[in-house]
Amino acid sequence: MGSLLGIKKFLVISCLILRFGHGYYLPGSFPHKYGVGDQLSVKVNSLTSIETEIPYGYYSLPFCKPPDGIKDSAENLGELLMGDRIENSPYRFKMFNNETEIFLCTTNPISHDEYKTLKERIDEMYQVNLNLDNLPAIRYMQREGFSVRWTGHPVGIKVQEAYYIFNHLKFTVFVHKYEHDNVVSVGGTGDGELMAPSNDTIGDGYMVVGFEVVPCSVNHDHGLLKNVTRYGKYPGTINCDPVAVAMMVKENEPVSFSYEVSFVQSDIKWPSRWDAYLKMEGAKVHWFSILNSLMVVTFLAGIVLVIFLRTIRRDLARYEELDKEAQAQMNEELSGWKLVVADVFRPPENSVLLCVMVADGCRILVMAVATIFFAALGFMSPAARGTLITGMLMFYVFLGIVAGYVAVWLWRTLAAGEPRGWFSVSWRVACFFPGISFLILTLLNSLLWGSGSTGAIPFTTFLVLILMWFCISVPLTLIGGFMATKGRYLKYPVRTNQIPREVPPQRFPSWILVLGAGTLPFGTLFIELFFIMSSIWLGRVYYVFGFLFIVLILLVTVCAEVSLVLTYMHLCVEDWKWWWKSFFASGSVSIYVFLYSINYLVFDLKSLSGPVSAMLYLGYSFFMVMTMLLATGAVGFLTSFFFVHRLFSSVKID
């Protein structure tokens, strides 16, 4: 009877969860109902260019400013770190109110400096990024018979030696009838709404499901604009032809801006409004990447299986069947991993540094798995700007407890359980990678500050990052280290001789094999790496986190297998100095990632101009490569460490 009652409670709770689950969308953005005639406000983001990768503020150019002043929108930490600066704009619409030939403003005469800046921004192909109800403005172009879509529109265009500015924008807003059933009632401005489930009848309204823009260059007659106020109707006809250009930028002459807007009712539902930005391209390529990785994993798994089932078991069986005298004779006759039994656990050089790097690698790996997992579930969608970077930062900060624990646990294992020195190890973990990151960030930020870019992190944000480091990350790392002093450590199954055994000379340097081992993990990653690099540097939206999560799991598996095989090969040639080699056997994939980034810079970012842009690219690439070195190196080292421990635990030593 009790079990039956429990089942009924479970069913009731499940039904309630499902019932309310229909009323909510995944985090990122929520539907906002607009009534007919309600005001819609367009917002502007930083000007961006794939030519320079240096963002600038929208109002750094002589554009029309809002009548009530420039105001920053609410931003999260991730937006600031990405260089996004969301501000209000003078463009205003009314829901389902089509308007044409709306005069916006006439600027002051273009000064010499403004003229020079405009020419530079046009030459560098800077794009104006507009947002409406959290949707970026999208632009369609016909190129070689194909429809190409872009987010934003160019500042202007250069024709021969003349510069033309796009001063008239033709907006098209696609709206969908607000659906009453199972939708949360929302109050707010469309970017950070308050939600409450509601079953009440809601009045008629519309949701924004699309936002398109067509830029035009129109030469306005300034004589007709003398008596026209802002948002008044232009007294002439404006012919918006995106192919023709007419408004030439000239020094000491003003520029007039105008716009038009039309509303179109669409069948696109609100949850599908991002489909136009996230259309799946190259799905077969992603699947090919996963299939390629699976083949590498299967190949390496076969090698590992042979090592375990045939080689090691056979050697152990023969070794244990002999008596002591025969074992001594066998040791004289045979070579291999059995002969380094008294040296295999000899502490490596720079053992503290190894503990620190492995601990930070574990921290980065867990952060990556958690971030990509939640992103694959939709909790860090592109609709929520900056949440991906914010999530990564939060995970990294709070995972300091993991880094501290792993570092001190490994340190105690190397020191045979001695807890002394745990505070020093924990402190070095807390400062090693964050310190290097802040150094790189400060150098790159100084370049952006010198360029006057919005990509430069504000000083207050820098202070916030430092406070997060020393007030949250460092204490958690020390707590993790202290917890490791009270926990169990891994005891070695064999004793280590005082005098180290001489490593026999090898035909080829072992480090060549270690560095070459990174090609296998890189083979599982390089296809997906192209999409990631295109997202970062070409402004494309990356959203296939499900594929990325699978590739990450395969990458970890390949790194573990490669390091295990290499470690076993080194032990078989009586090379007991496996510690650092196991770390770099898998970590060497970072070398090939860096070489790939150089290749991407030369062949895919040919248009990248200026030494500042190149230094930014190389700086961020080096930062990415270092994180990959630590994460993959930690995987390889821990796999080899537990493998060696298990292997020599099977050998009976008196």
Side-chain angles (χ1 to χ4, degrees):
M1 188 69 179
S3 60
L4 183 61
L5 184 61
I7 293 174
K8 287 183 178 179
K9 289 182 178 179
F10 174 77
L11 291 175
V12 170
I13 293 173
S14 301
C15 291
L16 287 173
I17 291 173
L18 291 173
R19 174 68 183 89
F20 285 106
H22 283 296
Y24 290 92
Y25 295 91
L26 285 176
S29 179
F30 299 92
H32 184 191
K33 183 194 72 171
Y34 296 95
V36 176
D38 286 354
Q39 182 169 296
L40 305 177
S41 298
V42 176
K43 296 182 179 181
V44 294
N45 202 343
S46 301
L47 305 173
T48 56
S49 170
I50 61 173
E51 295 270 338
T52 65
E53 302 296 345
I54 302 176
Y56 289 99
Y58 175 82
Y59 294 106
S60 63
L61 294 181
F63 292 135
C64 297
K65 296 179 174 59
D68 51 351
I70 302 171
K71 299 176 182 178
D72 292 334
S73 296
E75 298 172 333
N76 57 47
L77 189 59
E79 283 184 309
L80 293 172
L81 294 177
M82 291 173 64
D84 289 337
R85 297 295 183 270
I86 312 297
E87 298 167 315
N88 59 333
S89 80
Y91 296 102
R92 295 177 181 177
F93 313 147
K94 290 184 178 179
M95 175 58 74
F96 249 117
N97 186 10
N98 296 338
E99 297 178 290
T100 59
E101 301 165 351
I102 302 300
F103 170 69
L104 198 57
C105 80
T106 299
T107 66
N108 295 323
I110 303 297
S111 65
H112 174 73
D113 292 338
E114 290 174 333
Y115 178 69
K116 181 181 177 182
T117 303
L118 263 176
K119 290 199 304 180
E120 290 177 354
R121 300 294 179 265
I122 293 174
D123 282 334
E124 293 166 345
M125 298 178 63
Y126 269 85
Q127 302 284 316
V128 177
N129 299 295
L130 306 170
N131 292 282
L132 176 64
D133 194 46
N134 207 31
L135 275 181
I138 196 168
R139 174 173 57 101
Y140 289 93
M141 294 176 55
Q142 294 296 324
R143 181 176 294 178
E144 298 179 357
F146 294 94
S147 180
V148 182
R149 65 181 183 276
W150 300 83
T151 53
H153 69 85
V155 172
I157 189 172
K158 181 181 180 181
V159 180
Q160 295 179 349
E161 296 301 319
Y163 291 87
Y164 296 86
I165 189 172
F166 292 117
N167 61 332
H168 180 84
L169 300 181
K170 181 180 180 180
F171 297 106
T172 303
V173 181
F174 295 90
V175 296
H176 184 77
K177 190 77 171 179
Y178 195 81
E179 298 177 357
H180 296 195
D181 296 334
N182 300 322
V183 180
V184 294
S185 65
V186 182
T189 60
D191 289 320
E193 302 88 343
L194 300 173
M195 300 163 297
S198 174
N199 295 320
D200 300 332
T201 301
I202 307 174
D204 291 337
Y206 296 90
M207 297 176 291
V208 176
V209 295
F211 185 40
E212 295 182 8
V213 62
V214 176
C216 301
S217 180
V218 178
N219 190 7
H220 295 98
D221 187 346
H222 295 291
L224 299 176
L225 294 172
K226 292 182 179 180
N227 299 321
V228 181
T229 59
R230 183 185 291 246
Y231 304 118
K233 191 171 180 61
Y234 183 75
T237 301
I238 297 178
N239 182 23
C240 183
D241 185 358
V243 179
V245 290
M247 188 60 228
M248 184 185 299
V249 181
K250 297 180 180 179
E251 193 172 343
N252 296 321
E253 290 191 11
V255 177
S256 296
F257 291 85
S258 59
Y259 69 95
E260 60 185 278
V261 58
S262 60
F263 289 83
V264 178
Q265 193 160 349
S266 173
D267 294 331
I268 300 174
K269 294 187 177 182
W270 193 90
S272 304
R273 67 179 192 158
W274 273 85
D275 288 357
Y277 306 85
L278 308 179
K279 284 184 178 178
M280 187 69 175
E281 295 180 352
K284 293 182 179 180
V285 178
H286 290 281
W287 284 117
F288 173 77
S289 172
I290 292 175
L291 181 62
N292 173 65
S293 303
L294 284 172
M295 292 176 63
V296 175
V297 169
T298 305
F299 171 73
L300 291 174
I303 297 178
V304 173
L305 198 63
V306 169
I307 291 175
F308 273 109
L309 296 183
R310 297 187 59 184
T311 310
I312 295 178
R313 283 194 176 183
R314 184 189 61 198
D315 289 353
L316 286 175
R318 291 179 57 194
Y319 194 85
E320 292 175 359
E321 288 175 358
L322 302 175
D323 55 22
K324 294 182 180 179
E325 186 176 340
Q327 286 180 12
Q329 182 180 357
M330 181 180 179
N331 287 344
E332 293 177 0
E333 295 176 354
L334 298 179
S335 62
W337 58 270
K338 298 173 293 298
L339 299 182
V340 297
V341 65
D343 296 274
V344 70
F345 291 110
R346 188 178 302 280
E349 298 178 354
N350 302 314
S351 56
V352 176
L353 179 61
L354 179 63
C355 295
V356 170
M357 294 179 70
V358 170
D360 256 324
C362 292
R363 184 186 201 177
I364 294 170
L365 180 63
V366 176
M367 174 204 71
V369 171
T371 303
I372 297 173
F373 176 75
F374 282 105
L377 293 179
F379 287 89
M380 298 177 185
S381 68
R385 291 182 301 269
T387 54
L388 186 66
I389 300 297
T390 304
M392 291 176 63
L393 187 61
M394 292 297 105
F395 278 127
Y396 183 83
V397 168
F398 286 101
L399 285 171
I401 192 169
V402 173
Y405 188 92
V406 172
V408 175
W409 170 83
L410 185 57
W411 168 253
R412 288 189 65 201
T413 299
L414 294 176
E418 179 60 49
R420 285 184 299 179
W422 72 268
F423 186 86
S424 174
V425 173
S426 301
W427 177 255
R428 293 183 187 186
V429 173
C431 297
F432 176 70
F433 182 73
I436 295 176
S437 302
F438 266 89
L439 178 62
I440 296 174
L441 200 61
T442 302
L443 292 175
L444 298 181
N445 214 46
S446 61
L447 296 176
L448 292 171
W449 267 332
S451 303
S453 169
T454 59
I457 301 174
F459 180 72
T460 53
T461 305
F462 243 104
L463 291 180
V464 170
L465 293 175
I466 293 175
L467 289 175
M468 290 176 63
W469 179 11
F470 285 100
C471 297
I472 301 177
S473 180
V474 171
L476 286 176
T477 306
L478 296 177
I479 291 172
F482 178 75
M483 291 171 59
T485 62
K486 305 300 179 182
R488 299 176 60 183
Y489 67 94
L490 201 62
K491 296 181 180 179
Y492 294 148
V494 295
R495 293 190 299 269
T496 302
N497 288 343
Q498 292 184 350
I499 301 176
R501 178 187 180 89
E502 184 179 355
V503 178
Q506 308 297 326
R507 180 177 300 180
F508 301 103
S510 58
W511 281 102
I512 294 179
L513 191 61
V514 169
L515 297 178
T519 55
L520 290 174
F522 180 73
T524 68
L525 180 68
F526 78 98
I527 295 178
E528 205 65 31
L529 189 62
F530 170 79
F531 292 96
I532 296 174
M533 298 286 279
S534 298
S535 171
I536 296 174
W537 301 109
L538 297 181
R540 299 172 184 171
V541 179
Y542 187 88
Y543 64 98
V544 285
F545 293 102
F547 283 112
L548 184 60
F549 186 75
I550 297 174
V551 170
L552 177 62
I553 299 301
L554 294 174
L555 175 66
V556 170
T557 306
V558 173
C559 287
E561 293 174 341
V562 163
S563 182
L564 189 151
V565 172
L566 262 292
T567 299
Y568 179 74
M569 292 175 63
H570 284 118
L571 294 179
C572 285
V573 294
E574 303 176 35
D575 185 356
W576 51 268
K577 298 180 180 180
W578 59 271
W579 303 83
W580 281 106
K581 293 173 183 176
S582 66
F583 184 91
F584 286 107
S586 56
S588 60
V589 64
S590 59
I591 298 176
Y592 300 96
V593 171
F594 187 73
L595 293 177
Y596 179 83
S597 65
I598 300 296
N599 173 81
Y600 191 86
L601 173 64
V602 174
F603 295 102
D604 293 277
L605 293 180
K606 299 177 183 178
S607 58
L608 195 67
S609 59
V612 174
S613 301
M615 291 179 68
L616 287 173
Y617 177 85
L618 294 176
Y620 287 123
S621 297
F622 177 76
F623 178 77
M624 177 181 67
V625 165
M626 185 173 179
T627 58
M628 185 162 290
L629 168 66
L630 294 175
T632 55
V635 171
F637 171 81
L638 291 177
T639 303
S640 295
F641 182 68
F642 288 114
F643 165 72
V644 172
H645 186 275
R646 181 72 181 89
L647 175 62
F648 285 91
S649 297
S650 305
V651 180
K652 295 180 180 179
I653 302 295
D654 290 335

